[in-house]
Amino acid sequence: MPIDASFLKVLAGVACLGSFLFTLIAVAVLSYHWMRLLSIPKALLAIAIYLGVSGFLLLIMLTITLSL
Amino acid sequence: MNTHIFKLQDDENIVTKVGYHWVMYVGSIVNGIFLAVLPIIIFIIAEQYMFLTPTPIVLKTILLLYLLWLIALWTATLAQLTIMALNQWVITDRRIVSIDQTGFFDTLIASWQYNNIIEVSAEKKGLFQTMLNYGHIEIQTAGMADEYEQMSNVADPETIRSLIIRQLDDYSIRRDEIKLS
């Protein structure tokens, strides 16, 4: 059965949006605990690393979605 | 650190905090890396030995699913490390406080006064624990039924046991001095 590209594009878009929202919620929850556990500079560094890696993965996802 | 979720009593001082040994954190990271690599291995095996030749659109879909998996895994690994770091025993000069973080918003705090503690034991089991110097600490508390409380996979359990015993001795000396005066 051939795969409908436009339907797949919509699905991929929903996945991108879902991942973005998931990352936002996760960074809020993780930051709350990191602020308690670590000193402020270390917590900020941890948040930056988390957002950097997640942002990079999201960017690749978005690129693939647009190329579908 | 994670001590603001319980209040210290007047004149109570924190002696040390006991958390998981670093090998537990490394274990979580290795587990995360393994789960990240696993789909690649499965894909290579499927391609090589099952002679599957995915079309470009299927390949992109597989890549998208893999990226979704990576985002979830990356977050889950960090979440696990965070929860592990939140779990600890705080040893003060009056009691032992256990902070048991079971989820992101589920915390169980228990404390045992030194006058209720009747035995402290340290255990290292097996080659890894002996070589890397980590193991379990167990305290037995007096009560209607004897209760055992354990903190698993802590660094240097024998030193922590000695520290708790020293605190127990200091506590009983202080208590006797108060009784005499």
Side-chain angles (χ1 to χ4, degrees), chain A residues 3 8 12 19 22 26 29-30 33-34 36-37 50 53-54 60-61 64 67, chain B residues 1-2 4-5 57-58 60-61 63-64 67-68 71 74-75 78 82 85-86 104:
Chain A
I3 299 168
L8 203 63
S19 302
F22 172 75
V29 175
L30 288 171
H33 288 294
W34 288 340
R36 289 162 60 197
L37 270 172
Y50 176 73
V53 173
S54 299
I60 303 172
M61 274 185 79
I64 295 169
S67 73
Chain B
M1 287 291 273
N2 193 23
H4 75 270
I5 56 172
I57 200 159
V58 172
K60 281 178 183 174
T61 311
L63 194 58
L64 261 177
L67 286 167
L68 269 175
I71 290 177
W74 165 241
T75 307
L78 285 183
T82 306
L86 288 167
F104 268 122

PDB file of all heavy atoms in Angstrom, chain A residues 3 8 12 19 22 26 29-30 33-34 36-37 50 53-54 60-61 64 67, chain B residues 1-2 4-5 57-58 60-61 63-64 67-68 71 74-75 78 82 85-86 104:
ATOM      1  N   ILE A   3       2.311   4.942   0.695  1.00  0.00           N
ATOM      2  CA  ILE A   3       2.140   5.844   1.833  1.00  0.00           C
ATOM      3  C   ILE A   3       1.756   7.229   1.321  1.00  0.00           C
ATOM      4  O   ILE A   3       2.400   7.765   0.416  1.00  0.00           O
ATOM      5  CB  ILE A   3       3.444   5.915   2.659  1.00  0.00           C
ATOM      6  CG1 ILE A   3       3.783   4.518   3.186  1.00  0.00           C
ATOM      7  CG2 ILE A   3       3.310   6.884   3.807  1.00  0.00           C
ATOM      8  CD1 ILE A   3       5.169   4.404   3.765  1.00  0.00           C
ATOM      9  N   LEU A   8       1.331  11.799   5.972  1.00  0.00           N
ATOM     10  CA  LEU A   8       2.545  11.550   6.746  1.00  0.00           C
ATOM     11  C   LEU A   8       3.153  12.868   7.256  1.00  0.00           C
ATOM     12  O   LEU A   8       3.646  12.956   8.379  1.00  0.00           O
ATOM     13  CB  LEU A   8       3.550  10.817   5.847  1.00  0.00           C
ATOM     14  CG  LEU A   8       4.610   9.994   6.563  1.00  0.00           C
ATOM     15  CD1 LEU A   8       3.965   8.867   7.349  1.00  0.00           C
ATOM     16  CD2 LEU A   8       5.590   9.431   5.562  1.00  0.00           C
ATOM     17  N   ALA A  12       3.827  13.854  11.028  1.00  0.00           N
ATOM     18  CA  ALA A  12       5.171  14.278  11.456  1.00  0.00           C
ATOM     19  C   ALA A  12       5.113  15.648  12.114  1.00  0.00           C
ATOM     20  O   ALA A  12       5.811  15.904  13.106  1.00  0.00           O
ATOM     21  CB  ALA A  12       6.108  14.295  10.256  1.00  0.00           C
ATOM     22  N   SER A  19       6.524  16.864  20.551  1.00  0.00           N
ATOM     23  CA  SER A  19       7.871  16.797  21.141  1.00  0.00           C
ATOM     24  C   SER A  19       8.285  18.154  21.709  1.00  0.00           C
ATOM     25  O   SER A  19       8.919  18.225  22.761  1.00  0.00           O
ATOM     26  CB  SER A  19       8.892  16.380  20.092  1.00  0.00           C
ATOM     27  OG  SER A  19       8.548  15.157  19.561  1.00  0.00           O
ATOM     28  N   PHE A  22       6.392  18.618  24.902  1.00  0.00           N
ATOM     29  CA  PHE A  22       6.966  17.682  25.878  1.00  0.00           C
ATOM     30  C   PHE A  22       8.274  18.242  26.437  1.00  0.00           C
ATOM     31  O   PHE A  22       8.516  18.211  27.653  1.00  0.00           O
ATOM     32  CB  PHE A  22       7.201  16.336  25.178  1.00  0.00           C
ATOM     33  CG  PHE A  22       7.953  15.325  25.997  1.00  0.00           C
ATOM     34  CD1 PHE A  22       7.332  14.653  27.035  1.00  0.00           C
ATOM     35  CD2 PHE A  22       9.291  15.034  25.724  1.00  0.00           C
ATOM     36  CE1 PHE A  22       8.025  13.719  27.788  1.00  0.00           C
ATOM     37  CE2 PHE A  22       9.981  14.103  26.469  1.00  0.00           C
ATOM     38  CZ  PHE A  22       9.354  13.443  27.504  1.00  0.00           C
ATOM     39  N   ALA A  26       9.042  19.240  30.236  1.00  0.00           N
ATOM     40  CA  ALA A  26      10.171  18.546  30.876  1.00  0.00           C
ATOM     41  C   ALA A  26      11.194  19.549  31.413  1.00  0.00           C
ATOM     42  O   ALA A  26      11.688  19.379  32.535  1.00  0.00           O
ATOM     43  CB  ALA A  26      10.830  17.602  29.881  1.00  0.00           C
ATOM     44  N   VAL A  29       9.917  21.091  34.654  1.00  0.00           N
ATOM     45  CA  VAL A  29       9.982  20.173  35.808  1.00  0.00           C
ATOM     46  C   VAL A  29      11.432  19.932  36.228  1.00  0.00           C
ATOM     47  O   VAL A  29      11.775  20.004  37.417  1.00  0.00           O
ATOM     48  CB  VAL A  29       9.279  18.830  35.465  1.00  0.00           C
ATOM     49  CG1 VAL A  29       9.429  17.831  36.598  1.00  0.00           C
ATOM     50  CG2 VAL A  29       7.801  19.049  35.183  1.00  0.00           C
ATOM     51  N   LEU A  30      12.290  19.667  35.234  1.00  0.00           N
ATOM     52  CA  LEU A  30      13.696  19.382  35.552  1.00  0.00           C
ATOM     53  C   LEU A  30      14.383  20.610  36.161  1.00  0.00           C
ATOM     54  O   LEU A  30      15.148  20.482  37.117  1.00  0.00           O
ATOM     55  CB  LEU A  30      14.441  18.923  34.297  1.00  0.00           C
ATOM     56  CG  LEU A  30      14.110  17.520  33.783  1.00  0.00           C
ATOM     57  CD1 LEU A  30      14.748  17.272  32.422  1.00  0.00           C
ATOM     58  CD2 LEU A  30      14.567  16.447  34.758  1.00  0.00           C
ATOM     59  N   HIS A  33      13.774  21.025  39.876  1.00  0.00           N
ATOM     60  CA  HIS A  33      14.581  20.148  40.732  1.00  0.00           C
ATOM     61  C   HIS A  33      16.066  20.507  40.669  1.00  0.00           C
ATOM     62  O   HIS A  33      16.757  20.440  41.680  1.00  0.00           O
ATOM     63  CB  HIS A  33      14.364  18.686  40.335  1.00  0.00           C
ATOM     64  CG  HIS A  33      13.017  18.179  40.738  1.00  0.00           C
ATOM     65  ND1 HIS A  33      12.643  18.039  42.048  1.00  0.00           N
ATOM     66  CD2 HIS A  33      11.940  17.808  40.018  1.00  0.00           C
ATOM     67  CE1 HIS A  33      11.412  17.587  42.122  1.00  0.00           C
ATOM     68  NE2 HIS A  33      10.956  17.439  40.892  1.00  0.00           N
ATOM     69  N   TRP A  34      16.548  20.883  39.495  1.00  0.00           N
ATOM     70  CA  TRP A  34      17.971  21.232  39.377  1.00  0.00           C
ATOM     71  C   TRP A  34      18.299  22.478  40.192  1.00  0.00           C
ATOM     72  O   TRP A  34      19.388  22.591  40.749  1.00  0.00           O
ATOM     73  CB  TRP A  34      18.347  21.439  37.898  1.00  0.00           C
ATOM     74  CG  TRP A  34      18.383  20.152  37.124  1.00  0.00           C
ATOM     75  CD1 TRP A  34      18.497  18.889  37.639  1.00  0.00           C
ATOM     76  CD2 TRP A  34      18.302  19.987  35.703  1.00  0.00           C
ATOM     77  NE1 TRP A  34      18.485  17.964  36.626  1.00  0.00           N
ATOM     78  CE2 TRP A  34      18.373  18.596  35.435  1.00  0.00           C
ATOM     79  CE3 TRP A  34      18.183  20.875  34.640  1.00  0.00           C
ATOM     80  CZ2 TRP A  34      18.322  18.092  34.149  1.00  0.00           C
ATOM     81  CZ3 TRP A  34      18.139  20.357  33.356  1.00  0.00           C
ATOM     82  CH2 TRP A  34      18.208  18.989  33.111  1.00  0.00           C
ATOM     83  N   ARG A  36      17.026  23.193  42.946  1.00  0.00           N
ATOM     84  CA  ARG A  36      17.118  22.759  44.340  1.00  0.00           C
ATOM     85  C   ARG A  36      18.400  21.979  44.598  1.00  0.00           C
ATOM     86  O   ARG A  36      18.995  22.057  45.663  1.00  0.00           O
ATOM     87  CB  ARG A  36      15.935  21.853  44.700  1.00  0.00           C
ATOM     88  CG  ARG A  36      14.629  22.568  44.800  1.00  0.00           C
ATOM     89  CD  ARG A  36      13.469  21.592  44.728  1.00  0.00           C
ATOM     90  NE  ARG A  36      13.521  20.606  45.807  1.00  0.00           N
ATOM     91  CZ  ARG A  36      12.846  19.468  45.799  1.00  0.00           C
ATOM     92  NH1 ARG A  36      12.110  19.148  44.765  1.00  0.00           N
ATOM     93  NH2 ARG A  36      12.912  18.655  46.824  1.00  0.00           N
ATOM     94  N   LEU A  37      18.807  21.197  43.594  1.00  0.00           N
ATOM     95  CA  LEU A  37      19.940  20.288  43.781  1.00  0.00           C
ATOM     96  C   LEU A  37      21.297  20.958  43.585  1.00  0.00           C
ATOM     97  O   LEU A  37      22.247  20.671  44.294  1.00  0.00           O
ATOM     98  CB  LEU A  37      19.848  19.148  42.768  1.00  0.00           C
ATOM     99  CG  LEU A  37      19.084  17.897  43.153  1.00  0.00           C
ATOM    100  CD1 LEU A  37      18.959  16.991  41.939  1.00  0.00           C
ATOM    101  CD2 LEU A  37      19.769  17.148  44.276  1.00  0.00           C
ATOM    102  N   TYR A  50      20.473  20.659  28.331  1.00  0.00           N
ATOM    103  CA  TYR A  50      19.232  19.933  28.015  1.00  0.00           C
ATOM    104  C   TYR A  50      18.525  20.569  26.819  1.00  0.00           C
ATOM    105  O   TYR A  50      18.127  19.884  25.873  1.00  0.00           O
ATOM    106  CB  TYR A  50      18.294  19.902  29.237  1.00  0.00           C
ATOM    107  CG  TYR A  50      16.975  19.255  28.907  1.00  0.00           C
ATOM    108  CD1 TYR A  50      16.891  17.885  28.721  1.00  0.00           C
ATOM    109  CD2 TYR A  50      15.820  20.016  28.716  1.00  0.00           C
ATOM    110  CE1 TYR A  50      15.704  17.283  28.369  1.00  0.00           C
ATOM    111  CE2 TYR A  50      14.627  19.422  28.359  1.00  0.00           C
ATOM    112  CZ  TYR A  50      14.570  18.056  28.191  1.00  0.00           C
ATOM    113  OH  TYR A  50      13.393  17.465  27.824  1.00  0.00           O
ATOM    114  N   VAL A  53      20.569  20.067  23.433  1.00  0.00           N
ATOM    115  CA  VAL A  53      20.434  18.733  22.815  1.00  0.00           C
ATOM    116  C   VAL A  53      19.007  18.535  22.286  1.00  0.00           C
ATOM    117  O   VAL A  53      18.809  18.101  21.143  1.00  0.00           O
ATOM    118  CB  VAL A  53      20.824  17.622  23.825  1.00  0.00           C
ATOM    119  CG1 VAL A  53      20.539  16.247  23.260  1.00  0.00           C
ATOM    120  CG2 VAL A  53      22.294  17.734  24.199  1.00  0.00           C
ATOM    121  N   SER A  54      18.014  18.863  23.133  1.00  0.00           N
ATOM    122  CA  SER A  54      16.614  18.681  22.705  1.00  0.00           C
ATOM    123  C   SER A  54      16.294  19.559  21.492  1.00  0.00           C
ATOM    124  O   SER A  54      15.620  19.114  20.557  1.00  0.00           O
ATOM    125  CB  SER A  54      15.656  19.030  23.847  1.00  0.00           C
ATOM    126  OG  SER A  54      15.890  18.202  24.929  1.00  0.00           O
ATOM    127  N   ILE A  60      16.279  18.764  13.759  1.00  0.00           N
ATOM    128  CA  ILE A  60      16.414  17.704  12.743  1.00  0.00           C
ATOM    129  C   ILE A  60      15.034  17.150  12.394  1.00  0.00           C
ATOM    130  O   ILE A  60      14.702  16.932  11.224  1.00  0.00           O
ATOM    131  CB  ILE A  60      17.345  16.559  13.220  1.00  0.00           C
ATOM    132  CG1 ILE A  60      18.711  17.091  13.597  1.00  0.00           C
ATOM    133  CG2 ILE A  60      17.510  15.502  12.138  1.00  0.00           C
ATOM    134  CD1 ILE A  60      19.609  16.057  14.253  1.00  0.00           C
ATOM    135  N   MET A  61      14.208  16.973  13.426  1.00  0.00           N
ATOM    136  CA  MET A  61      12.846  16.467  13.191  1.00  0.00           C
ATOM    137  C   MET A  61      12.070  17.402  12.258  1.00  0.00           C
ATOM    138  O   MET A  61      11.381  16.963  11.337  1.00  0.00           O
ATOM    139  CB  MET A  61      12.087  16.356  14.528  1.00  0.00           C
ATOM    140  CG  MET A  61      12.320  15.070  15.256  1.00  0.00           C
ATOM    141  SD  MET A  61      11.310  14.954  16.728  1.00  0.00           S
ATOM    142  CE  MET A  61       9.744  14.485  16.018  1.00  0.00           C
ATOM    143  N   ILE A  64      13.338  17.171   8.659  1.00  0.00           N
ATOM    144  CA  ILE A  64      12.832  15.957   7.981  1.00  0.00           C
ATOM    145  C   ILE A  64      11.348  16.124   7.645  1.00  0.00           C
ATOM    146  O   ILE A  64      10.905  15.770   6.540  1.00  0.00           O
ATOM    147  CB  ILE A  64      13.078  14.712   8.856  1.00  0.00           C
ATOM    148  CG1 ILE A  64      14.583  14.467   9.009  1.00  0.00           C
ATOM    149  CG2 ILE A  64      12.410  13.476   8.264  1.00  0.00           C
ATOM    150  CD1 ILE A  64      14.949  13.434  10.045  1.00  0.00           C
ATOM    151  N   SER A  67      10.862  18.155   4.697  1.00  0.00           N
ATOM    152  CA  SER A  67      11.345  17.539   3.450  1.00  0.00           C
ATOM    153  C   SER A  67      10.457  16.370   2.983  1.00  0.00           C
ATOM    154  O   SER A  67      10.711  15.780   1.947  1.00  0.00           O
ATOM    155  CB  SER A  67      12.777  17.049   3.645  1.00  0.00           C
ATOM    156  OG  SER A  67      12.768  15.895   4.456  1.00  0.00           O
TER     157      SER A  67
ATOM    158  N   MET B   1      21.497  22.241  48.534  1.00  0.00           N
ATOM    159  CA  MET B   1      21.085  20.845  48.346  1.00  0.00           C
ATOM    160  C   MET B   1      19.625  20.663  48.730  1.00  0.00           C
ATOM    161  O   MET B   1      18.896  21.624  48.953  1.00  0.00           O
ATOM    162  CB  MET B   1      21.981  19.925  49.169  1.00  0.00           C
ATOM    163  CG  MET B   1      23.383  19.765  48.612  1.00  0.00           C
ATOM    164  SD  MET B   1      23.449  18.856  47.072  1.00  0.00           S
ATOM    165  CE  MET B   1      23.547  17.190  47.699  1.00  0.00           C
ATOM    166  N   ASN B   2      19.257  19.410  48.879  1.00  0.00           N
ATOM    167  CA  ASN B   2      17.835  19.083  48.970  1.00  0.00           C
ATOM    168  C   ASN B   2      17.322  19.078  50.406  1.00  0.00           C
ATOM    169  O   ASN B   2      16.542  18.231  50.780  1.00  0.00           O
ATOM    170  CB  ASN B   2      17.649  17.709  48.332  1.00  0.00           C
ATOM    171  CG  ASN B   2      16.231  17.383  48.086  1.00  0.00           C
ATOM    172  OD1 ASN B   2      15.406  18.276  47.988  1.00  0.00           O
ATOM    173  ND2 ASN B   2      15.928  16.107  48.006  1.00  0.00           N
ATOM    174  N   HIS B   4      15.823  21.727  52.087  1.00  0.00           N
ATOM    175  CA  HIS B   4      14.775  22.667  52.481  1.00  0.00           C
ATOM    176  C   HIS B   4      13.397  22.016  52.532  1.00  0.00           C
ATOM    177  O   HIS B   4      12.440  22.634  52.946  1.00  0.00           O
ATOM    178  CB  HIS B   4      14.774  23.887  51.552  1.00  0.00           C
ATOM    179  CG  HIS B   4      14.197  23.633  50.209  1.00  0.00           C
ATOM    180  ND1 HIS B   4      14.948  23.212  49.149  1.00  0.00           N
ATOM    181  CD2 HIS B   4      12.922  23.706  49.768  1.00  0.00           C
ATOM    182  CE1 HIS B   4      14.161  23.060  48.107  1.00  0.00           C
ATOM    183  NE2 HIS B   4      12.932  23.346  48.447  1.00  0.00           N
ATOM    184  N   ILE B   5      13.302  20.749  52.113  1.00  0.00           N
ATOM    185  CA  ILE B   5      12.001  20.087  52.187  1.00  0.00           C
ATOM    186  C   ILE B   5      11.723  19.528  53.584  1.00  0.00           C
ATOM    187  O   ILE B   5      10.650  19.063  53.845  1.00  0.00           O
ATOM    188  CB  ILE B   5      11.837  18.985  51.113  1.00  0.00           C
ATOM    189  CG1 ILE B   5      12.947  17.954  51.199  1.00  0.00           C
ATOM    190  CG2 ILE B   5      11.808  19.556  49.716  1.00  0.00           C
ATOM    191  CD1 ILE B   5      12.698  16.772  50.290  1.00  0.00           C
ATOM    192  N   ILE B  57      11.008   7.677   1.621  1.00  0.00           N
ATOM    193  CA  ILE B  57       9.947   8.182   2.523  1.00  0.00           C
ATOM    194  C   ILE B  57       9.829   7.310   3.781  1.00  0.00           C
ATOM    195  O   ILE B  57       9.628   7.819   4.884  1.00  0.00           O
ATOM    196  CB  ILE B  57       8.599   8.331   1.762  1.00  0.00           C
ATOM    197  CG1 ILE B  57       7.696   9.289   2.538  1.00  0.00           C
ATOM    198  CG2 ILE B  57       7.895   7.020   1.530  1.00  0.00           C
ATOM    199  CD1 ILE B  57       6.604   9.904   1.722  1.00  0.00           C
ATOM    200  N   VAL B  58      10.006   5.999   3.609  1.00  0.00           N
ATOM    201  CA  VAL B  58       9.975   5.084   4.773  1.00  0.00           C
ATOM    202  C   VAL B  58      11.199   5.350   5.654  1.00  0.00           C
ATOM    203  O   VAL B  58      11.110   5.365   6.881  1.00  0.00           O
ATOM    204  CB  VAL B  58       9.932   3.608   4.302  1.00  0.00           C
ATOM    205  CG1 VAL B  58      10.101   2.656   5.480  1.00  0.00           C
ATOM    206  CG2 VAL B  58       8.628   3.319   3.597  1.00  0.00           C
ATOM    207  N   LYS B  60      12.781   8.169   5.977  1.00  0.00           N
ATOM    208  CA  LYS B  60      12.568   9.421   6.716  1.00  0.00           C
ATOM    209  C   LYS B  60      11.613   9.204   7.888  1.00  0.00           C
ATOM    210  O   LYS B  60      11.795   9.772   8.959  1.00  0.00           O
ATOM    211  CB  LYS B  60      12.006  10.493   5.771  1.00  0.00           C
ATOM    212  CG  LYS B  60      13.066  11.134   4.895  1.00  0.00           C
ATOM    213  CD  LYS B  60      12.458  12.140   3.954  1.00  0.00           C
ATOM    214  CE  LYS B  60      13.517  12.725   3.029  1.00  0.00           C
ATOM    215  NZ  LYS B  60      12.939  13.605   2.020  1.00  0.00           N
ATOM    216  N   THR B  61      10.603   8.381   7.675  1.00  0.00           N
ATOM    217  CA  THR B  61       9.651   8.088   8.757  1.00  0.00           C
ATOM    218  C   THR B  61      10.346   7.352   9.899  1.00  0.00           C
ATOM    219  O   THR B  61      10.134   7.678  11.074  1.00  0.00           O
ATOM    220  CB  THR B  61       8.473   7.221   8.218  1.00  0.00           C
ATOM    221  OG1 THR B  61       7.981   7.828   7.037  1.00  0.00           O
ATOM    222  CG2 THR B  61       7.361   7.095   9.224  1.00  0.00           C
ATOM    223  N   LEU B  63      13.491   7.513  10.599  1.00  0.00           N
ATOM    224  CA  LEU B  63      14.385   8.488  11.235  1.00  0.00           C
ATOM    225  C   LEU B  63      13.613   9.398  12.195  1.00  0.00           C
ATOM    226  O   LEU B  63      14.084   9.717  13.291  1.00  0.00           O
ATOM    227  CB  LEU B  63      15.086   9.309  10.147  1.00  0.00           C
ATOM    228  CG  LEU B  63      16.284  10.146  10.593  1.00  0.00           C
ATOM    229  CD1 LEU B  63      17.353   9.278  11.240  1.00  0.00           C
ATOM    230  CD2 LEU B  63      16.888  10.907   9.430  1.00  0.00           C
ATOM    231  N   LEU B  64      12.406   9.802  11.760  1.00  0.00           N
ATOM    232  CA  LEU B  64      11.556  10.644  12.624  1.00  0.00           C
ATOM    233  C   LEU B  64      11.192   9.901  13.912  1.00  0.00           C
ATOM    234  O   LEU B  64      11.261  10.473  15.003  1.00  0.00           O
ATOM    235  CB  LEU B  64      10.276  11.007  11.873  1.00  0.00           C
ATOM    236  CG  LEU B  64      10.235  12.378  11.216  1.00  0.00           C
ATOM    237  CD1 LEU B  64       8.933  12.553  10.465  1.00  0.00           C
ATOM    238  CD2 LEU B  64      10.404  13.493  12.225  1.00  0.00           C
ATOM    239  N   LEU B  67      14.134   9.773  16.156  1.00  0.00           N
ATOM    240  CA  LEU B  67      14.367  11.055  16.837  1.00  0.00           C
ATOM    241  C   LEU B  67      13.388  11.260  17.994  1.00  0.00           C
ATOM    242  O   LEU B  67      13.760  11.777  19.045  1.00  0.00           O
ATOM    243  CB  LEU B  67      14.267  12.209  15.838  1.00  0.00           C
ATOM    244  CG  LEU B  67      15.460  12.327  14.893  1.00  0.00           C
ATOM    245  CD1 LEU B  67      15.138  13.267  13.745  1.00  0.00           C
ATOM    246  CD2 LEU B  67      16.694  12.817  15.634  1.00  0.00           C
ATOM    247  N   LEU B  68      12.134  10.837  17.778  1.00  0.00           N
ATOM    248  CA  LEU B  68      11.143  10.886  18.865  1.00  0.00           C
ATOM    249  C   LEU B  68      11.615  10.052  20.050  1.00  0.00           C
ATOM    250  O   LEU B  68      11.529  10.480  21.202  1.00  0.00           O
ATOM    251  CB  LEU B  68       9.807  10.322  18.373  1.00  0.00           C
ATOM    252  CG  LEU B  68       8.795  11.279  17.762  1.00  0.00           C
ATOM    253  CD1 LEU B  68       7.603  10.511  17.240  1.00  0.00           C
ATOM    254  CD2 LEU B  68       8.334  12.316  18.771  1.00  0.00           C
ATOM    255  N   ILE B  71      14.506  11.821  21.894  1.00  0.00           N
ATOM    256  CA  ILE B  71      14.061  12.925  22.759  1.00  0.00           C
ATOM    257  C   ILE B  71      13.470  12.368  24.063  1.00  0.00           C
ATOM    258  O   ILE B  71      13.784  12.844  25.161  1.00  0.00           O
ATOM    259  CB  ILE B  71      13.043  13.840  22.023  1.00  0.00           C
ATOM    260  CG1 ILE B  71      13.761  14.634  20.930  1.00  0.00           C
ATOM    261  CG2 ILE B  71      12.345  14.792  22.992  1.00  0.00           C
ATOM    262  CD1 ILE B  71      12.872  15.510  20.083  1.00  0.00           C
ATOM    263  N   TRP B  74      16.391  10.765  26.141  1.00  0.00           N
ATOM    264  CA  TRP B  74      17.257  11.813  26.694  1.00  0.00           C
ATOM    265  C   TRP B  74      16.602  12.429  27.925  1.00  0.00           C
ATOM    266  O   TRP B  74      17.232  12.581  28.972  1.00  0.00           O
ATOM    267  CB  TRP B  74      17.514  12.835  25.577  1.00  0.00           C
ATOM    268  CG  TRP B  74      18.071  14.172  25.937  1.00  0.00           C
ATOM    269  CD1 TRP B  74      17.460  15.374  25.717  1.00  0.00           C
ATOM    270  CD2 TRP B  74      19.342  14.492  26.525  1.00  0.00           C
ATOM    271  NE1 TRP B  74      18.266  16.406  26.140  1.00  0.00           N
ATOM    272  CE2 TRP B  74      19.431  15.886  26.641  1.00  0.00           C
ATOM    273  CE3 TRP B  74      20.403  13.719  26.978  1.00  0.00           C
ATOM    274  CZ2 TRP B  74      20.526  16.536  27.175  1.00  0.00           C
ATOM    275  CZ3 TRP B  74      21.512  14.363  27.529  1.00  0.00           C
ATOM    276  CH2 TRP B  74      21.561  15.750  27.615  1.00  0.00           C
ATOM    277  N   THR B  75      15.312  12.719  27.808  1.00  0.00           N
ATOM    278  CA  THR B  75      14.577  13.316  28.932  1.00  0.00           C
ATOM    279  C   THR B  75      14.431  12.304  30.071  1.00  0.00           C
ATOM    280  O   THR B  75      14.633  12.655  31.239  1.00  0.00           O
ATOM    281  CB  THR B  75      13.187  13.795  28.462  1.00  0.00           C
ATOM    282  OG1 THR B  75      13.369  14.637  27.330  1.00  0.00           O
ATOM    283  CG2 THR B  75      12.457  14.567  29.534  1.00  0.00           C
ATOM    284  N   LEU B  78      17.752  11.876  31.993  1.00  0.00           N
ATOM    285  CA  LEU B  78      18.021  13.008  32.883  1.00  0.00           C
ATOM    286  C   LEU B  78      17.070  12.999  34.078  1.00  0.00           C
ATOM    287  O   LEU B  78      17.459  13.324  35.201  1.00  0.00           O
ATOM    288  CB  LEU B  78      17.897  14.329  32.122  1.00  0.00           C
ATOM    289  CG  LEU B  78      19.046  14.658  31.172  1.00  0.00           C
ATOM    290  CD1 LEU B  78      18.836  16.010  30.534  1.00  0.00           C
ATOM    291  CD2 LEU B  78      20.383  14.669  31.905  1.00  0.00           C
ATOM    292  N   THR B  82      18.116  12.765  37.962  1.00  0.00           N
ATOM    293  CA  THR B  82      17.659  13.794  38.904  1.00  0.00           C
ATOM    294  C   THR B  82      16.987  13.152  40.112  1.00  0.00           C
ATOM    295  O   THR B  82      17.271  13.527  41.257  1.00  0.00           O
ATOM    296  CB  THR B  82      16.679  14.754  38.188  1.00  0.00           C
ATOM    297  OG1 THR B  82      17.313  15.251  37.014  1.00  0.00           O
ATOM    298  CG2 THR B  82      16.271  15.904  39.073  1.00  0.00           C
ATOM    299  N   ALA B  85      19.508  11.646  42.368  1.00  0.00           N
ATOM    300  CA  ALA B  85      20.243  12.639  43.154  1.00  0.00           C
ATOM    301  C   ALA B  85      19.388  13.199  44.300  1.00  0.00           C
ATOM    302  O   ALA B  85      19.921  13.640  45.318  1.00  0.00           O
ATOM    303  CB  ALA B  85      20.710  13.777  42.247  1.00  0.00           C
ATOM    304  N   LEU B  86      18.066  13.176  44.118  1.00  0.00           N
ATOM    305  CA  LEU B  86      17.179  13.700  45.162  1.00  0.00           C
ATOM    306  C   LEU B  86      17.014  12.716  46.325  1.00  0.00           C
ATOM    307  O   LEU B  86      16.645  13.116  47.424  1.00  0.00           O
ATOM    308  CB  LEU B  86      15.806  14.030  44.567  1.00  0.00           C
ATOM    309  CG  LEU B  86      15.739  15.264  43.661  1.00  0.00           C
ATOM    310  CD1 LEU B  86      14.432  15.295  42.895  1.00  0.00           C
ATOM    311  CD2 LEU B  86      15.902  16.544  44.458  1.00  0.00           C
ATOM    312  N   PHE B 104       8.622  12.653  40.463  1.00  0.00           N
ATOM    313  CA  PHE B 104       9.002  14.072  40.439  1.00  0.00           C
ATOM    314  C   PHE B 104       8.304  14.881  41.523  1.00  0.00           C
ATOM    315  O   PHE B 104       8.846  15.838  42.048  1.00  0.00           O
ATOM    316  CB  PHE B 104       8.711  14.671  39.073  1.00  0.00           C
ATOM    317  CG  PHE B 104       9.899  14.581  38.171  1.00  0.00           C
ATOM    318  CD1 PHE B 104       9.811  13.929  36.970  1.00  0.00           C
ATOM    319  CD2 PHE B 104      11.102  15.128  38.543  1.00  0.00           C
ATOM    320  CE1 PHE B 104      10.909  13.829  36.144  1.00  0.00           C
ATOM    321  CE2 PHE B 104      12.211  15.031  37.739  1.00  0.00           C
ATOM    322  CZ  PHE B 104      12.110  14.383  36.528  1.00  0.00           C
TER     323      PHE B 104
END
